[in-house]
Amino acid sequence: MAATDRVVLGPLVGSIDQGTSSTRFLVFNAKTAELLSHHQVEIKQKFPKEGWVEQDPKEILQSVYECVEKTCEKLNQLNIDITNIKAVGVSNQRETTVVWDKTTGEPLYDAIVWLDLRTQPTVERLLKIIPGQNKSFLKTKTGLPLSTYFSAVKLRWLLDNVEEIRQAVRDGRAMFGTIDSWLIWSLTGGKNGGVHCTDVTNASRTMLFNIHSLEWDPELCHFFDVPMEILPKVRSSSEIYGLMKSGALTGVPISGCLGDQSAALVGQMCFKDGQAKNTYGTGCFLLCNTGQKPVLSEHGLLTTVAYKLGRDKPVSYALEGSVAIAGAVVRWLRDNLGIVKSSSEVEKLASEVGTSYGCYFVPAFSGLYAPYWEPTARGIICGLTQFTNKNHIAFAALEAVCFQTREILDAMNNDCGIPLSELQVDGGMTNNKILMQLQADILCIPVVKPSMPETTALGAAMAAGAAEGVGVWSLNPEDLTAVTWERFEPQINPEESEYRYARWKKAVMKSMGWEISEPQANGDSSIFSSLPLGFYIVSSMIMLIGAKYISGIDK
């Protein structure tokens, strides 16, 4: 490619897409929204105890550096001038909680991932001080029910259980943030002047943020007993936060920040009231733009900040249905059961049978999120027969993702009053054509997928490129690039869809109430935890050994 061609290419915008399973860096042409290059690194998840999910913040940060450098190398190989990258945006897994030392730049504990369940006792303790133990007590300010899902209870657990963090708070060294805050602080200098900030979309997922005033709320912080001085400054989703301080993009502004699901809403260009999208990633997230007024759900959905694309721009809100386990169920089939060697094999297995043969899979590994918010639920596979094989289980796993989406879509239709006529989709799982066709069949409406599926990264790039002081990406409706779609139409009759959905709902009911709220002391489920029974068993063993010894002497 000649140098003159590089000039024609125009301004470029980079996007850090830090998800639960992987980190990616993607570069887009700001004029055409064309994806030019990207690099991806998988992120390890740690499961130190049942229900615990952690990640290493330093590994996450290193993966960002690696993805940026590798993508820039690929652009150089394509003769694309990386000095044309005018801005960088950040989209991130939401709610995942990090606390670090601002004097050393070191995390004080592993990141507690949004899926983590260790905080259930914390939630139950907080519920006891709420009138009527009402989970929705804080919803008028936060839009959220009290749940293990959100950052405030994770931070409360860290303050209760990690002495290094308590000491750092006392010393004035502690900083709290979701993944966006950790990355922006580190990339803009870290302990040498890094910018400690977050955006309104990520702040709205903490339970410490008032979604009406768009500020940290002193009463909420008092309720969770969180010191406000450790919180990041809340900014809009599109403004210059600071400059990259190292690597190939040194000096480039970081000027866009959106929680991943808000980024996908922007990337799908859902800027009008009533427009919605569903993202299929580790979890599954359906968001519907409700405009400049928050709508409180009566059917188990969350009210969240959709975006605020500039300091002086109005805020937009969304209703959200959150499903904990979507792509994660495929990873579970691969890593835990070993019935596939790669995620793509699941589509092949499912296509070979084309049915679950009456097998239903409820992947409630982290309890059930929307619309149930039931932490006692656990995963079940039911309807098994001697005929059931791994193909049927693979098909049931894909069906489970679709049934969960149907549940949150029904709730959203009830809240909004106007049913969606089609569903816009994005995320890694949308490459699975069996899944997309199943989704259309189960919803009984068309499913439409953009030809460029990287909408989460695109949304962050759009926010970064449109920021004041950057101005290389226009968000005016007439300037937005036309999107081409792949369309999946329902292929089964509604009666069959309703029959399968009713069976799924029956399986969901069976999954509830498995986990007791308070584990036994020290988690000891041994028979020896019963003292009389323990004495009986030990004394019986001694008598048997003694009898055998005596009989041996007699011989």
Side-chain angles (χ1 to χ4, degrees), residues 99-157:
V99 179
W100 66 95
D101 187 324
K102 67 182 179 183
T103 61
T104 65
E106 294 291 312
L108 294 167
Y109 196 82
D110 273 346
I112 300 182
V113 176
W114 58 276
L115 282 165
D116 188 279
L117 289 176
R118 77 186 68 188
T119 55
Q120 186 55 36
T122 306
V123 169
E124 289 170 1
R125 177 165 51 83
L126 291 167
L127 273 173
K128 288 175 182 175
I129 62 175
I130 291 175
Q133 298 195 19
N134 180 9
K135 287 182 183 178
S136 298
F137 181 69
L138 305 176
K139 213 169 181 181
T140 52
K141 281 190 174 187
T142 66
L144 312 172
L146 188 59
S147 165
T148 60
Y149 184 16
F150 306 108
S151 306
V153 289
K154 301 179 195 301
L155 179 54
R156 183 66 258 151
W157 187 92

Side-chain angles (χ1 to χ4, degrees), residues 126-364:
L126 291 167
L127 273 173
K128 288 175 182 175
I129 62 175
I130 291 175
Q133 298 195 19
N134 180 9
K135 287 182 183 178
S136 298
F137 181 69
L138 305 176
K139 213 169 181 181
T140 52
K141 281 190 174 187
T142 66
L144 312 172
L146 188 59
S147 165
T148 60
Y149 184 16
F150 306 108
S151 306
V153 289
K154 301 179 195 301
L155 179 54
R156 183 66 258 151
W157 187 92
L158 288 167
L159 291 166
D160 287 339
N161 291 279
V162 183
E163 174 56 33
E164 292 89 340
I165 289 178
R166 288 198 296 271
Q167 187 59 51
V169 170
R170 288 192 289 268
D171 295 344
R173 295 180 285 110
M175 282 183 165
F176 154 79
T178 41
I179 293 296
D180 58 305
S181 298
W182 163 244
L183 291 180
I184 292 172
W185 183 81
S186 300
L187 295 171
T188 57
K191 63 183 180 181
N192 299 312
V195 178
H196 189 212
C197 69
T198 189
D199 91 300
V200 288
T201 69
N202 281 294
S204 74
R205 311 297 292 192
T206 62
M207 294 203 84
L208 301 172
F209 185 73
N210 187 314
I211 62 172
H212 307 282
S213 66
L214 303 182
E215 296 175 336
W216 298 122
D217 190 287
E219 290 182 358
L220 293 171
C221 291
H222 177 73
F223 176 81
F224 288 102
D225 195 15
V226 166
M228 295 186 72
E229 59 270 17
I230 71 174
L231 304 178
K233 183 178 179 181
V234 182
R235 313 273 286 269
S236 78
S237 308
S238 179
E239 61 178 274
I240 295 174
Y241 312 114
L243 306 180
M244 297 276 284
K245 287 295 167 68
S246 65
L249 298 183
T250 298
V252 175
I254 300 175
S255 54
C257 180
L258 290 153
D260 51 9
Q261 303 314 316
S262 289
L265 196 71
V266 171
Q268 288 265 29
M269 302 177 198
C270 296
F271 294 126
K272 296 178 182 176
D273 294 15
Q275 288 187 305
K277 67 87 207 173
N278 196 35
T279 299
Y280 300 77
T282 299
C284 203
F285 303 90
L286 178 60
L287 268 72
C288 180
N289 190 329
T290 61
Q292 295 177 25
K293 289 186 178 179
V295 175
L296 290 179
S297 172
E298 296 179 359
H299 299 91
L301 302 181
L302 310 177
T303 303
T304 196
V305 175
Y307 51 80
K308 187 178 188 295
L309 296 173
R311 277 179 291 193
D312 301 323
K313 297 294 170 87
V315 64
S316 287
Y317 295 91
L319 277 174
E320 175 176 331
S322 309
V323 170
I325 304 294
V329 74
V330 174
R331 191 168 180 166
W332 183 81
L333 292 176
R334 183 193 71 185
D335 296 346
N336 292 46
L337 291 195
I339 67 173
V340 293
K341 291 186 173 64
S342 67
S343 299
S344 59
E345 281 184 50
V346 172
E347 181 176 8
K348 181 175 180 291
L349 287 179
S351 66
E352 288 172 356
V353 288
T355 175
S356 68
Y357 203 76
C359 171
Y360 290 85
F361 189 166
V362 182

